[in-house]
Amino acid sequence: MSSGTLRLGSTAPDFQAETSNGPISFHEFIGDSWVVLFSHPDDFTPVCTTELGAFAKLEPEFAKRGVKLIGLSANNADSHKAWIKDIDEVTGSQLSFPIIADPERKVAHLYDMIDYQDATNVDDKGVQFTIRSVFVIDPAKKIRLILAYPASTGRNTAEVLRVVDSLQTGDKYRVTTPINWVPGDDVIVHPSVSNEEAKTLFPKFRIIKPYLRLTPLDVKEQQ
C-alpha cells in the first residue's frame, strides 16, 4: 500500500481509518482546512505522552489558524482511548482531536512513516513501529511540510505552529520568511515582486541587497 515518494507539493494520499473519535475518510476530514498529521511509535510510551499533551494544549492556537490536528499511533482505537486518559492526567491537557488507529501500519506505509534506522523500534511481533513524522497539509490537500524525528526525540510543537504561520503568511501576502521568523518580525519580499510593485504592496520595504528586500508586514494595510 504505497503512494510512491511523497514530496512537498504532492497530494496527500487519501485513506479510511478508525480513530479514537470514530471512522474517518482523510480527505473528508481535511475538508477546507489545513491539517497537521503527526505519527507516534506506540501508545503508553513516555515521549509520545508528553507530545500529545503539548499538541492538545496548543490546539486552540492551531484552530485559530484554521488548522485541524490528527495523530497516528500503531495501536487500535480502544488502546488510544485508554491512553488519552493517561495523557490528560499526566499533562493536564484535554485531548479532543482524533488519533488514527494503525496497528497494521497501513497509513504508516502510505506516508512512509516506518523506522528503518533503529532495528529495536519494533512491536512484540517484530513489526517496525512508526517514527515521529509531521505533515502539514493545506486545504488543496497538498503537502506543504514534512518533518521526521527519530523515536528517541520529542518534537517542538511551537516550531510546527511557527511553520504554519509562515506558510499561511507567505500564501496570503507574497512574502517569504527569514531564519527564526515569528509573526511580527520583518518578512522578505518575494522574488516575483518587482521593486515598483513592492512600493505599492510594501511601502516600508528596504533593499539590503538586490536579492534581499525586507519589509515589516502591516497586516491592517494589506487587508
Side-chain angles (χ1 to χ4, degrees), residues 136-166:
V136 175
I137 301 164
D138 69 19
K141 316 294 190 295
K142 299 298 182 183
I143 296 172
R144 302 292 298 276
L145 173 82
I146 302 173
L147 293 172
Y149 294 73
S152 59
T153 302
R155 282 163 282 216
N156 185 325
T157 51
E159 170 62 5
V160 178
L161 187 66
R162 189 191 76 88
V163 172
V164 169
D165 282 333
S166 173

Side-chain angles (χ1 to χ4, degrees), residues 6 9-15 26-27 30 111 137 140-143:
L6 294 179
S10 296
T11 298
D14 194 16
F15 59 85
F26 189 51
H27 280 193
I30 295 172
Y111 278 78
I137 301 164
K141 316 294 190 295
K142 299 298 182 183
I143 296 172

